[in-house]
Amino acid sequence: MRSLSTTNPINLIDICLFISILLVNAVVTQTQNSSSTTTPVNVGVVLDMDSLVGKIGLSCINMALSDFYATHPHYKTRLIVNTKDSKEDVVAAAAAALELIRNVEVQAIIGPRSSMQANFVINLGNKSQVPIISFSATSPSLTSLQSSYFFRAAQSSSFQVKAISAIVQAFGWREAVPIYVDNQFGESFIPSLTDALQEINTRVPYLSVIPASANDDQIAEELYKLMTMQTRVFIVHMTMPLGSQILAKAKEIGMMSEGYVWIMTDTMTNLWRSIDASAIDSLEGILGVRSYVHKSEKLENFKGRWKRKFQQVNPDITNAELNILGLWAYDATCALALAIERAGTVNLRFNKTNISSSSATNLETLGVSQNGPRLIQELSNIKFGGLSGDFHFVNGQLPSSAFQIVNVNGNKERRVGYWTPQNGLVRKLDLTNTSTNSTSKPKLGPIIWPGDTTAVPRGWEIPTNGKKLRIGVPMKVGFTEFLDVAWDPMSHKAISIEGYCKDVFDAVMAKMPYAIPYEYVPFATPDGKAAGSYNDLTDQVYYGNYDAVVGDTTIVANRSLFVDFTLPYTESGVAMIVPIRDKNKKSAWVFLKPLTWDLWVTSGCFFVFIGFVVWILEHRINEDFRGPPAYQVGTSFWFSFSTMVFAHRERVESNLARFVVIIWCFVVLILTQSYTASLTSVLTVEQLQPTVTDINALLKRRESVGFLDGSFVEGILLGLKFTNFQLKKYKSPEELDELFSKGSANGGISAALDEIPYIKLFLAKYCGKYTTVEPTFKTAGFGFVFPKGSPLVADVSRAILNVTQGDKMEQIQKFWFNNEGVCPDFNPSVSSNSLDLESFWGLFLIAGVASISALIIFAAMFLYEQRHVLFQLHSETSMWRRIRIMSRIFDQKDLSSHTFKKSELRDASSTCSVQSIGVVGSSPNTNCPPSPSSCSNQTDSSDFVSFVEQGRIAGHGDQTPKGSSSPDIFPSPERSSIELANYRNGT
């Protein structure tokens, strides 16, 4: 047992060794068998091997192939990497790619690193049908090549401009200056950036270009130039070595202090942690933008493995950090391996051109890959979840995704927010929210800005190098209340500058939240005269000769195209000034003016109509309305017209007539009172009338019009079709008054167009001589002028509101303008005071309805009383004969009326009986009238009808005087009987 126990360990060791050898042999055999069934495929890698991006990219490429084939051991293709160093040179990169294509016959090339190197390499790939896959060439200009054999396994740098502009907009910065490298990488990015900034109304006043080989002195010179500008927001688009050099110099000269804003693009943000620790200090407070990568367990495991692998290969690099470029290199390699596997190995050869000439170049002998078309098709269809996220190509490049906003603080970075194409800036990223109209308010987390402050920089500052703002002021001859410059002809300098506009600007500057040094510079020639018009003065701001303009400068559209105006601080508008005169003294017919012609005609017609109605209603019962025709007409008109001024002599007996007269008196009362008031207004209020009320009349008569010299009003007049011959310039209120005094016929003017502030001042000086009339042209008033996009405009406008709404503005106005007084006749109404028919048609309607209603009632009553006459008429009697009969009856007195009862009482025989009518012819002294209304019912009414019809009643309705007889009026019984018989027989 002991011998056995002593020999067992040796036997076990031998057995284990034997088994191990068998396993190793099996693995080797399997590997050899596996390798014998796979096809090697050459691919090229062109990178800058000495650069950090190149080293990180190469390590990720090698790890990608190892991981890919370990995951897919059954694939029949194996990529063989052929590496070439481009040595950070465009020519070297092209030569390396040419050698790989022509000599090695690679099926694809990964690289090169930079956009400039990729430009020529892409053309080689297009010519040889070899796909070029770059994970770090992000220049937007490469897209314009439109090569189907170029795949950008990265996002274009133009995708980030929306995120950068969103940051600028979120903090309200109005200006930003890009700082970029002077090569294709920098120049191709700027157009996209400036377009994005202009979309949010952010101005780019300057483009700072730094040469790729710039030294410290050149960089310092450019930075000092930036310090003299107002803008304090800088967007840096550089390669990391040059960018860190610029930021270090900026910190050295004091441009990393409070008030400055620095934003890095993704190229620097991806690599900032890989620079030296001494250079990191210069990045304190900087914001950075880079593509967002979703964290996953797979990514974290890969980062650990990559760190160990990279340190083994590059032990001298201790601060390398895996970035998005390395992840894109990893995913691009996996995508290429998968595409080659799907494309197959049938056509891996190249077709070469047979050129035997010794002078043939390498490009002419370049072969064409037969597998290229198939390979780019597979690459275009690749889609998988990589380390960087969903990996697929859209138009040959990775699509835009979310961006991460980081803030460098110390040697670390803090995530302060995100930007997505759907929701813009957000504090927290929610990839599940795909709404394109997010209502959430864009916001970022707390940011530590340069100068170690959390206060958001304003984005601009007045330069602190002793330079003052140059404020241009106009030279004025007249209207010096607004601005007056006292000029010294000896020294050719301004002695003093004062006026309303200057005092307002000084008050506004005093209200600013910060101090602004400035000085006034007259816009004048050496002899003290105006150097140009107001348009020329505003152009000087556009050209940069002045920082602002203070004066009576009107805000108009054409000027706002080149400069920015603050809010106005005066009234706005352009009106026409004309002389005034007393027209009424020269008019003999002024009494007709209170009423319009249609109202005069209507009133006259109603006077006649009312007189006629009263005559109808009173004729049968009122002695005043009877008599000869001329007398009756005169009485009716006299009665109607006399109601205007005094009580009439004639009495009105009928109730219907009284009703009509009451209504008519009410109408006449209103008419006369209105006429009196209007006439009073014509003779007093409108004594002073403008000589011109319509500017078109000036055009038709080709009269002259004045305007202030140098004013934009000249353009308005020319636009109204006035000729230059009709336009007269003036420089002061005195010259304007002199032009008006001459008149248009003597070289003067008939009217003038000017702005409201000037007009008020002019009218205050010449009150009672001039006034304003339409038209009024809209303008925005006086404003201060600043350069286009100036950040001062918003703050100055707010200060103007504070001044104009306070007591200070009132004090300034009182000091400069109140001594002239206020003209009470400013802008009077010149409309006619004549009364028209529209104001009184309701009264005339009431009077007309009342009169017509009275006539209808009277006619109805009259016909009803005489109905027995109508009934006795023969049925074949014509209508005209019926009317004649009724008119003759109407013309007679109505003795049944109460107005004739007194005479009946005095005459006892006034009652007519049947016997009296029968003996009328034999009793000539009888007073019985032949009226049907006084006859007994026993009277044969047909006899009377025949009697009236044959005209036996005396004319004019007058009763024959008592004591007289007439054979025409009182026929004999025999004659009456014969006439009655003839009437009944129809003869």
Side-chain angles (χ1 to χ4, degrees):
M1 292 293 295
R2 287 180 182 175
S3 61
L4 225 99
S5 62
T6 56
T7 58
N8 280 341
I10 298 175
N11 293 333
L12 291 174
I13 292 174
D14 293 339
I15 293 172
C16 291
L17 289 174
F18 178 75
I19 293 174
S20 300
I21 292 171
L22 292 177
L23 290 174
V24 170
N25 291 333
V27 171
V28 171
T29 302
Q30 184 177 2
T31 303
Q32 292 176 350
N33 293 335
S34 175
S35 62
S36 62
T37 59
T38 60
T39 302
V41 179
N42 288 319
V43 295
V45 175
V46 179
L47 296 173
D48 299 332
M49 296 305 175
D50 292 335
S51 67
L52 181 61
V53 174
K55 292 178 180 181
I56 293 176
L58 183 60
S59 64
C60 290
I61 290 172
N62 292 330
M63 292 185 67
L65 291 177
S66 177
D67 293 347
F68 182 80
Y69 290 118
T71 308
H72 306 90
H74 58 284
Y75 279 8
K76 297 182 178 181
T77 57
R78 295 292 185 272
L79 299 189
I80 306 300
V81 177
N82 297 271
T83 305
K84 292 292 181 180
D85 187 4
S86 60
K87 300 178 182 180
E88 300 186 5
D89 183 73
V90 176
V91 177
L98 182 62
E99 182 180 354
L100 289 172
I101 295 172
R102 187 170 61 87
N103 297 332
V104 184
E105 295 185 351
V106 294
Q107 298 298 309
I109 294 178
I110 300 177
R113 182 188 67 83
S114 70
S115 300
M116 292 180 295
Q117 295 172 359
N119 203 346
F120 188 72
V121 174
I122 292 172
N123 291 326
L124 290 177
N126 196 41
K127 182 177 180 61
S128 61
Q129 296 185 358
V130 173
I132 308 298
I133 306 172
S134 177
F135 59 88
S136 57
T138 60
S139 172
S141 63
L142 298 178
T143 306
S144 62
L145 297 177
Q146 296 181 349
S147 174
S148 58
Y149 287 89
F150 172 61
F151 290 86
R152 193 197 330 250
Q155 294 180 4
S156 173
S157 59
S158 62
F159 292 164
Q160 63 185 317
V161 297
K162 293 291 185 180
I164 295 174
S165 65
I167 297 173
V168 174
Q169 185 180 27
F171 293 104
W173 297 321
R174 304 297 298 171
E175 287 186 353
V177 173
I179 304 176
Y180 62 97
V181 61
D182 188 14
N183 56 27
Q184 183 183 3
F185 168 73
E187 292 174 352
S188 61
F189 173 76
I190 294 304
S192 301
L193 178 62
T194 54
D195 289 345
L197 293 175
Q198 289 176 358
E199 288 179 2
I200 61 172
N201 295 324
T202 297
R203 182 170 170 257
V204 180
Y206 180 71
L207 296 175
S208 179
V209 186
I210 306 295
S213 58
N215 54 34
D216 287 347
D217 293 338
Q218 292 174 309
I219 293 174
E221 180 181 359
E222 182 66 18
L223 292 178
Y224 277 120
K225 184 177 181 179
L226 295 177
M227 287 183 67
T228 62
M229 302 179 182
Q230 294 183 357
T231 308
R232 291 295 180 264
V233 180
F234 304 106
I235 302 171
V236 185
H237 183 64
M238 296 279 180
T239 58
M240 193 64 231
L242 182 59
S244 61
Q245 184 182 359
I246 292 173
L247 295 177
K249 182 59 65 174
K251 182 177 179 62
E252 180 182 338
I253 66 177
M255 295 182 68
M256 284 293 175
S257 58
E258 185 176 354
Y260 284 87
V261 178
W262 293 85
I263 302 175
M264 299 184 297
T265 59
D266 58 351
T267 303
M268 294 182 63
T269 308
N270 290 327
L271 298 172
W272 76 268
R273 287 183 293 185
S274 301
I275 62 177
D276 296 335
S278 59
I280 290 180
D281 293 338
S282 61
L283 274 66
E284 184 73 25
I286 290 180
L287 290 179
V289 177
R290 66 171 174 224
S291 298
Y292 169 73
V293 178
H294 181 65
K295 289 185 177 181
S296 63
E297 184 178 355
K298 178 181 178 181
L299 177 60
E300 295 301 321
N301 292 336
F302 176 76
K303 284 183 178 180
R305 291 191 297 114
W306 177 87
K307 188 71 173 179
R308 292 190 297 269
K309 181 70 174 178
F310 189 83
Q311 290 296 328
Q312 292 174 3
V313 178
N314 304 283
D316 55 332
I317 302 177
T318 59
N319 58 347
E321 293 285 344
L322 181 64
N323 53 49
I324 188 64
L325 298 179
L327 300 181
W328 283 337
Y330 184 95
D331 292 342
T333 304
C334 294
L336 178 59
L338 182 58
I340 288 179
E341 176 67 24
R342 293 178 178 177
T345 58
V346 177
N347 296 320
L348 296 181
R349 61 184 182 275
F350 276 64
N351 289 338
K352 293 186 177 181
T353 305
N354 295 324
I355 300 178
S356 58
S357 175
S358 59
S359 62
T361 63
N362 290 334
L363 293 177
E364 292 175 333
T365 59
L366 194 64
V368 177
S369 174
Q370 299 299 302
N371 196 39
R374 174 66 177 170
L375 185 55
I376 65 171
Q377 182 179 358
E378 295 297 337
L379 281 172
S380 300
N381 296 328
I382 288 293
K383 188 174 183 179
F384 63 91
L387 294 178
S388 61
D390 293 335
F391 189 93
H392 65 283
F393 293 107
V394 176
N395 296 326
Q397 63 183 359
L398 296 185
S400 176
S401 62
F403 285 89
Q404 188 178 33
I405 315 299
V406 299
N407 179 214
V408 178
N409 185 14
N411 59 352
K412 298 181 180 180
E413 66 179 22
R414 298 170 53 253
R415 297 186 183 93
V416 295
Y418 301 88
W419 180 89
T420 63
Q422 295 79 18
N423 300 323
L425 285 180
V426 292
R427 177 70 181 276
K428 295 182 179 180
L429 186 64
D430 184 9
L431 296 177
T432 61
N433 183 11
T434 59
S435 174
T436 58
N437 295 315
S438 176
T439 57
S440 60
K441 184 178 180 180
K443 56 184 178 180
L444 297 174
I447 299 174
I448 299 178
W449 303 96
D452 196 21
T453 178
T454 57
V456 178
R458 188 166 56 239
W460 66 274
E461 295 289 344
I462 299 297
T464 57
N465 57 356
K467 178 184 176 182
K468 296 181 179 179
L469 293 181
R470 290 171 53 85
I471 309 298
V473 294
M475 296 292 295
K476 296 183 64 64
V477 176
F479 298 98
T480 54
E481 290 83 356
F482 292 99
L483 201 67
D484 187 18
V485 179
W487 189 261
D488 184 7
M490 300 300 295
S491 62
H492 303 293
K493 293 182 180 179
I495 301 175
S496 64
I497 300 175
E498 58 183 11
Y500 170 77
C501 298
K502 174 184 177 296
D503 287 355
V504 172
F505 185 75
D506 291 339
V508 168
M509 290 296 103
K511 289 289 186 179
M512 294 288 284
Y514 41 83
I516 300 179
Y518 60 92
E519 60 180 354
Y520 293 105
V521 181
F523 183 54
T525 59
D527 57 353
K529 296 182 179 179
S533 65
Y534 280 73
N535 287 336
D536 298 330
L537 178 57
T538 56
D539 289 342
Q540 298 302 312
V541 177
Y542 175 76
Y543 297 140
N545 297 328
Y546 293 134
D547 297 311
V549 167
V550 171
D552 47 347
T553 311
T554 307
I555 304 171
V556 290
N558 62 327
R559 295 173 182 172
S560 64
L561 297 175
F562 307 98
V563 295
D564 279 347
F565 288 91
T566 62
L567 290 177
Y569 58 91
T570 63
E571 294 182 61
S572 62
V574 174
M576 186 168 66
I577 314 171
V578 296
I580 53 179
R581 66 184 179 188
D582 188 357
K583 291 185 177 181
N584 295 338
K585 292 181 179 180
K586 301 179 182 180
S587 176
W589 303 97
V590 67
F591 66 90
L592 295 176
K593 188 175 181 180
L595 304 183
T596 58
W597 69 269
D598 54 346
L599 186 55
W600 278 115
V601 172
T602 304
S603 300
C605 293
F606 260 83
F607 275 112
V608 175
F609 176 67
I610 295 299
F612 173 74
V613 171
V614 173
W615 177 80
I616 291 291
L617 299 177
E618 294 291 311
H619 177 66
R620 302 189 71 232
I621 63 174
N622 195 334
E623 290 287 356
D624 292 334
F625 291 89
R626 302 184 64 82
Y631 175 79
Q632 296 185 49
V633 171
T635 301
S636 300
F637 286 169
W638 164 262
F639 179 86
S640 177
F641 282 94
S642 64
T643 56
M644 290 191 301
V645 291
F646 53 82
H648 37 271
R649 177 180 60 84
E650 295 78 11
R651 298 180 59 187
V652 179
E653 304 294 345
S654 170
N655 287 332
L656 291 176
R658 290 172 179 174
F659 171 72
V660 171
V661 170
I662 289 174
I663 298 296
W664 178 240
C665 287
F666 176 72
V667 174
V668 170
L669 175 65
I670 295 178
L671 277 176
T672 54
Q673 294 296 328
S674 301
Y675 175 84
T676 303
S678 180
L679 182 61
T680 303
S681 175
V682 170
L683 295 177
T684 57
V685 176
E686 288 197 354
Q687 289 180 4
L688 301 179
Q689 289 287 342
T691 56
V692 179
T693 59
D694 187 4
I695 196 170
N696 294 320
L698 298 174
L699 283 169
K700 293 179 180 178
R701 297 196 296 260
R702 301 184 63 82
E703 297 184 11
S704 298
V705 179
F707 67 94
L708 185 63
D709 188 15
S711 173
F712 71 96
V713 175
E714 181 180 8
I716 295 178
L717 291 172
L718 292 175
L720 293 174
K721 306 304 181 183
F722 282 94
T723 62
N724 290 321
F725 177 77
Q726 295 176 265
L727 303 184
K728 304 290 183 180
K729 298 180 182 179
Y730 61 87
K731 296 183 178 179
S732 65
E734 293 75 17
E735 289 187 18
L736 178 57
D737 179 59
E738 184 179 353
L739 288 173
F740 274 124
S741 300
K742 291 181 179 180
S744 181
N746 300 320
I749 59 175
S750 299
L753 255 68
D754 213 334
E755 297 176 72
I756 298 298
Y758 300 125
I759 292 176
K760 295 183 69 174
L761 185 60
F762 176 75
L763 293 180
K765 289 184 176 182
Y766 300 96
C767 186
K769 292 182 63 178
Y770 305 97
T771 187
T772 58
V773 295
E774 298 291 341
T776 299
F777 301 92
K778 298 297 183 181
T779 60
F782 295 164
F784 302 127
V785 183
F786 285 92
K788 197 73 174 176
S790 173
L792 280 171
V793 174
D795 292 339
V796 173
S797 296
R798 281 189 287 269
I800 289 175
L801 293 177
N802 293 330
V803 173
T804 54
Q805 295 176 2
D807 298 333
K808 186 64 176 178
M809 180 62 78
E810 183 178 355
Q811 296 174 6
I812 296 173
Q813 290 177 346
K814 184 177 181 180
F815 178 81
W816 287 105
F817 304 124
N818 200 43
N819 58 336
E820 299 291 346
V822 179
C823 184
D825 196 30
F826 176 70
N827 195 22
S829 175
V830 296
S831 60
S832 175
N833 288 332
S834 298
L835 303 174
D836 54 12
L837 182 60
E838 281 189 25
S839 305
F840 299 96
W841 70 269
L843 289 175
F844 288 117
L845 178 64
I846 294 174
V849 171
S851 301
I852 294 174
S853 300
L855 288 177
I856 294 175
I857 295 174
F858 173 80
M861 294 174 60
F862 175 74
L863 294 176
Y864 179 77
E865 291 176 355
Q866 306 301 329
R867 63 187 182 278
H868 57 283
V869 176
L870 294 175
F871 291 156
Q872 295 296 329
L873 292 177
H874 197 278
S875 60
E876 296 180 356
T877 304
S878 65
M879 181 60 66
W880 174 243
R881 296 185 67 184
R882 293 171 185 265
I883 294 174
R884 286 178 58 194
I885 292 172
M886 299 309 297
S887 63
R888 289 193 176 102
I889 297 175
F890 168 77
D891 192 42
Q892 299 301 310
K893 289 182 179 180
D894 184 6
L895 297 181
S896 65
S897 172
H898 68 281
T899 57
F900 296 114
K901 288 183 178 180
K902 291 182 180 181
S903 60
E904 291 176 356
L905 294 175
R906 289 194 299 265
D907 189 357
S909 61
S910 59
T911 302
C912 181
S913 63
V914 176
Q915 290 80 5
S916 64
I917 294 178
V919 295
V920 115
S922 61
S923 301
N925 295 326
T926 182
N927 294 326
C928 183
S931 173
S933 61
S934 61
C935 294
S936 168
N937 291 335
Q938 299 174 2
T939 303
D940 192 347
S941 61
S942 61
D943 294 343
F944 181 77
V945 168
S946 176
F947 173 75
V948 172
E949 184 182 7
Q950 295 183 27
R952 298 294 186 256
I953 300 178
H956 312 307
D958 289 334
Q959 180 66 30
T960 302
K962 296 180 180 180
S964 62
S965 62
S966 173
D968 293 333
I969 300 177
F970 303 101
S972 64
E974 294 82 1
R975 182 180 177 183
S976 299
S977 301
I978 296 172
E979 290 177 349
L980 180 60
N982 293 335
Y983 173 77
R984 289 178 175 176
N985 295 328
T987 59

